[in-house]
Amino acid sequence: VTTPLPPPAATTTTTMVAGIPANQRVQQTTSTPTGATISPAPASDSPAVTQQQIISAEAGTPGGVGYRNAAGTPVHPTVLFGLVTDSEYGHMNSDGSVTPFYTNYPVWIVEYQGAVLTPVGGGSPGPGGPSTTSTVPPVHVGTSMTFFDAQTGSYLFGVSF
């Protein structure tokens, strides 16, 4: 009597794009209420730091890890590689025009949705210090995004809305 072999174990195929899984990349262009536009990076672009390195780095930023929803349950972030253009911050030119600090800049984006947020300071994305005005309520449920340089892993800026 022979015993049939069990069926082969199911395998999961992960599509890789420029060395990182496709599901770790921004898939469509979107804009935030704060003036940032997030878009997919070209398929040929790849970050020098990994998603896991960014998750570790995020723990040391303003707000850090540990967001919870209104029920007190931990909120887990989405961490994606893409490009950011931020029209809110830039260099003031002598003719009065503004050159944004970040235009199609390669970043890792750490996003928490549905989190209880308490706005914090923590630096602006360029010289001149943090903004002193805000239209964000003191405590609210919303979205927090932190942007990290995809080549160095350095914190660039964060927004919440």
Side-chain angles (χ1 to χ4, degrees):
V1 171
T2 59
T3 305
L5 294 174
T11 58
T12 302
T13 303
T14 301
T15 302
M16 300 294 282
V17 178
I20 64 170
N23 67 355
Q24 291 183 12
R25 299 176 76 91
V26 171
Q27 300 297 315
Q28 63 186 22
T29 300
T30 186
S31 295
T32 71
T34 62
T37 300
I38 300 162
S39 56
S44 60
D45 285 7
S46 64
V49 295
T50 67
Q51 185 187 58
Q52 190 56 50
Q53 288 171 307
I54 293 303
I55 291 169
S56 296
E58 202 270 340
T61 64
V65 295
Y67 285 110
R68 297 187 176 275
N69 63 21
T73 305
V75 176
H76 300 285
T78 301
V79 182
L80 298 175
F81 170 67
L83 303 176
V84 67
T85 296
D86 186 358
S87 60
E88 293 295 309
Y89 295 99
H91 174 76
M92 181 67 76
N93 300 312
S94 59
D95 65 359
S97 65
V98 176
T99 302
F101 291 131
Y102 305 109
T103 302
N104 290 322
Y105 198 88
V107 293
W108 281 101
I109 304 132
V110 180
E111 178 182 29
Y112 291 88
Q113 291 185 353
V116 174
L117 303 172
T118 302
V120 294
S124 72
S131 171
T132 57
T133 61
S134 175
T135 58
V136 178
V139 175
H140 66 284
V141 175
T143 298
S144 171
M145 294 178 146
T146 307
F147 298 85
F148 292 88
D149 187 299
Q151 299 311 309
T152 67
S154 298
Y155 170 82
L156 298 175
F157 67 99
V159 298
S160 63
F161 47 90

